[in-house]
Amino acid sequence: MPTPPPSAQPPAPTPLARLQGQLIVSVQADDDSVLRDTAIIAALCRAVLTGGAGGLRVRGADDIRAARALTALPIIGLTKTRHAGVDAFITATTREVREVAGAGADIVAVDATRLTRPEPLVDLIRAAHDAGLQVMADISTEDEAEHALDLGADTVGTTMSGYTPHSPQQEAPDFALMRALHARGLPFVAEGRVKTVQDALQAQACGAFAVVVGSAITRPDHVTRWYADALGTAAGPDHALLPGLTAEPASYTP
Ligand SMILES: CC(=O)N[C@H](C=O)[C@@H](O)[C@H](O)[C@H](O)COP(=O)(O)O
């Protein structure tokens, strides 16, 4: 039977469509963490892919390239940069959008809050689409979500709730925001302080089309701190590590 012409074939699902219902694992390490090393990030990516992650969220060109070499599953890429005089820090410039695209991400996460920003959000969205990437707009409120989607973002993430002064400061994921987005028919990824399987299930029940879990899976230093603080046994690295060893990254090259 002859192969149908390309136009007759169904279009390939978009990276976001492939993430529907999936667990996305954010594999990032803080700059002052001993885990802040691309080889370690790559090993963590392999571990979570083995465990059943349906996608990855990865920061910085080197780590995105390392993740790309491991999987064809969707990768959400981002940068985190403190820009002089402004507050937005998640992929806030078109140069960084292109850097994330060049490193092989499928989706770019951009700061879509109303924090002060170096470049207009609409320019970031356009740059991403021009580079063939979908856009996940990281927001902290319903209004920010609506605005980002109006400007052409492909989805929003609740990532920034709790990290802007105008959103609720709380330990739990922002389920109220999730419910509000769902009630307005706005597509969203649940992200931010999803710490337990129960949290992830609740996020799904609130209408999330995918759930991102970061620290609870890939930041053992943070998770240990949660337990130690709760038990009242927290000791600093000076107490725990032998002289000469620090909690600083071993071989990080920015
Ligand atoms: C606010 C901010 O900078 N969030 C960052 C965004 O990429 C990451 O540091 C978080 O780990 C990620 O959002 C996942 O969240 P959690 O680690 O809580 O599961």
Side-chain angles (χ1 to χ4, degrees), residues 94-108 123-135:
T94 49
R95 188 186 60 74
E96 289 166 292
V97 168
R98 285 190 278 270
E99 196 177 299
V100 165
D106 304 289
I107 300 163
V108 59
D123 290 356
L124 307 187
I125 294 173
R126 195 177 303 120
H129 287 164
D130 286 350
L133 266 60
Q134 290 187 292
V135 176

Side-chain angles (χ1 to χ4, degrees), residues 143-233:
D143 289 352
E144 290 167 355
E146 192 159 42
H147 180 62
L149 292 166
D150 281 350
L151 292 181
D154 300 283
T155 191
V156 301
T158 58
T159 319
M160 291 299 290
S161 174
Y163 304 99
T164 60
H166 51 273
S167 59
Q169 311 293 304
Q170 57 187 33
E171 280 295 313
D174 194 345
F175 295 120
L177 175 60
M178 295 180 202
R179 278 189 285 269
L181 294 171
H182 189 55
R184 287 167 70 162
L186 305 178
F188 71 94
V189 176
E191 176 168 350
R193 303 178 304 280
V194 177
K195 291 183 174 175
T196 64
V197 171
Q198 194 52 44
D199 286 343
L201 291 171
Q202 194 168 337
Q204 271 191 337
C206 290
F209 85 80
V211 179
V212 175
V213 179
S215 308
I217 296 178
T218 58
R219 285 191 175 116
D221 35 3
H222 287 219
V223 178
T224 306
R225 174 70 50 182
W226 301 340
Y227 280 82
D229 282 348
L231 295 170
T233 59

